[in-house]
Amino acid sequence: MRPGSDITDVLNPTADNGLGLPHPPVYQSVADRLRHAIHIGAYLPGDLLPSERVLAEQAGVSRVTIREAVRVLQAEGYLATRRGARGGPVLLANAEAVEVVIARLRQREEEFEALFEFREVIECAAARLAASRRTDEDIARARSAIEDMRLSEDIATFRRADSLFHLALADASRNRRIRDAVEESRDVMFLALDAIDLTLTKATSVPHHKRILKAVVARQPEAASRAMAGHIENTRTAFHVLLDGGS
Ligand SMILES: [Zn+2]
């Protein structure tokens, strides 16, 4: 073993990893966090990102690092720069044609299949725990998310409301690991949700979410879990219909 190298070095981001490979630069991990925030609906298309100074404070990094991270997301097509006094990085809508998104989904079909299985396990557990641990505040958040979903007129707003609902329930589970897992699965779903038909989805999604919430309000863990399983199964079916070209 090299001198000074022990197990605790794993936790030290500046430690030499022993392979002579550089660690990923800090701006990459900031870019990852920003991309994740976009994927779970923290910003909507047309939204101006917080100022460099605010982002730097939030992330605990320098403004130069934020600038680098923003450049990465610009290159990936997530952000554009708005000029002028009220300028800065603006979130762009996904400009890809639905067919392009579907083609990419087909390439990742197995990964999505695994994601649906994972979501069923984790979100049913979240719903079950939420039914016994929820507060009035959790209920209010979930209810207002359903209302946002019902009123949404574009897919980005719908996606954000859907995220808010699932995260409100995950918070209500009072289990940090479950909450993190739900958030992570929202991130992966981002791509799939961009290709869905809004009118159709709203028609089935709103009653599904209401059914889940009703069981959570009534403190019925098994009913909440069953309603969540039904909702995820429905989403999985819609996903396959999408990939099969609507047949
Ligand atoms: Zn949902």
Side-chain angles (χ1 to χ4, degrees), residues 26-27 30 34 50-71 87-89:
V26 179
Y27 73 83
V30 175
L34 272 175
S51 71
E52 251 172 33
R53 185 182 56 78
V54 171
L55 286 174
E57 269 167 25
Q58 281 174 359
V61 298
S62 72
R63 291 172 66 160
V64 176
T65 303
I66 295 294
R67 219 167 294 153
E68 292 287 331
V70 164
R71 228 168 266 153

Side-chain angles (χ1 to χ4, degrees), residues 10 32 36 38 40 45-46 127 193 201 208 217 240:
V10 174
D32 289 346
H36 176 71
I38 293 167
I40 64 166
L193 283 167
T201 307
H208 271 178
V217 170
H240 285 295

Side-chain angles (χ1 to χ4, degrees), residues 141-162:
R141 276 176 61 201
R143 200 166 269 150
S144 101
I146 295 178
E147 189 57 10
D148 288 353
M149 212 178 284
R150 198 177 63 78
L151 297 174
S152 62
E153 287 177 351
D154 57 78
I155 206 72
T157 314
F158 174 86
R159 182 174 56 211
R160 164 144 84 181
D162 192 32

